[in-house]
């Protein structure tokens, strides 16, 4: 089974991936950045989300991480999702770090966080045992799933 097939079986349906891809396109349109730049932003923010979720898992357990993912996953902007993962200072640090690597303005990145974080969490959300979430949180494993690669594959698969 290929990587995209594994992602599809873990995520559960192409509608969920389609919603994520649509959000990426909307963010691209809104910012004037190309979709590949937004995908890069999504991947970089995803790494910060991973670190935050790993910390929460170590402190509060896997159940709390899954509950947080379930509560805030989506394709609509949600500032509470960002606040649940990052302090105000950390939000600024994330925006500045991503801006340095993408060339987008840090203020723009910070404004995008309420849209990006729920999308990352939406990618992780699935029914039953969550193999994508487990692979995402286990950064030391070989072959862990990178959200940027997954979205690129999904985009190609769905013809967007």
């Amino acid at each position: 089974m290929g990587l995209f097939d594994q992602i599809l079986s873990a995520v559960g349906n192409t509608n969920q991936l389609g919603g994520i891809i649509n959000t990426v396109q909307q963010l691209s349109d809104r910012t004037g950045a190309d979709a590949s730049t937004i995908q890069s932003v999504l991947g970089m923010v995803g790494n910060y989300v991973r670190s935050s979720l790993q910390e929460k898992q170590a402190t509060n357990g896997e159940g709390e991480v899954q509950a947080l993912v379930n509560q805030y996953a989506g394709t609509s902007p949600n500032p509470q999702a960002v606040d649940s993962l990052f302090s105000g200072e950390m939000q600024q640090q994330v925006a500045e770090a991503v801006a340095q690597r993408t060339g987008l303005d840090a203020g723009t990145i910070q404004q995008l966080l309420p849209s990006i974080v729920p999308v990352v969490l939406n990618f992780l959300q699935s029914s039953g045992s969550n193999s994508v979430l487990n692979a995402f949180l286990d950064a030391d494993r070989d072959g862990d799933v990178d959200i940027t690669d997954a979205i690129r594959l999904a985009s190609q698969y769905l013809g967007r």
Side-chain angles (χ1 to χ4, degrees), residues 82-105:
V82 180
D83 293 340
S84 72
L85 291 172
F86 306 124
S87 67
E89 182 180 326
M90 186 62 183
Q91 290 174 36
Q92 187 175 3
Q93 290 173 1
V94 168
E96 289 171 3
V98 172
Q100 286 178 347
R101 294 184 61 197
T102 64
L104 293 176
D105 179 69

Side-chain angles (χ1 to χ4, degrees), residues 46-66:
N47 287 331
Y48 287 99
V49 168
R50 175 187 306 187
S51 295
S52 178
L53 290 175
Q54 286 173 327
E55 184 179 307
K56 288 184 183 306
Q57 184 178 35
T59 305
N60 304 319
E62 188 176 318
E64 182 164 320
V65 169
Q66 187 65 56

Side-chain angles (χ1 to χ4, degrees), residues 11 18 26-27 54 69 73 75 86-87 90 96 102 136 150 157 159:
V11 171
Q26 289 169 2
L27 294 175
Q54 286 173 327
V69 169
T75 55
F86 306 124
S87 67
M90 186 62 183
E96 289 171 3
T102 64
F136 185 76
Y157 178 79

Side-chain angles (χ1 to χ4, degrees), residues 4-5 8 14 17 151-160:
F4 188 71
D5 293 326
L8 274 183
T14 56
L17 284 175
I151 289 174
R152 282 190 185 122
L153 284 170
S155 295
Q156 291 172 355
Y157 178 79
L158 297 173
R160 302 211 178 157

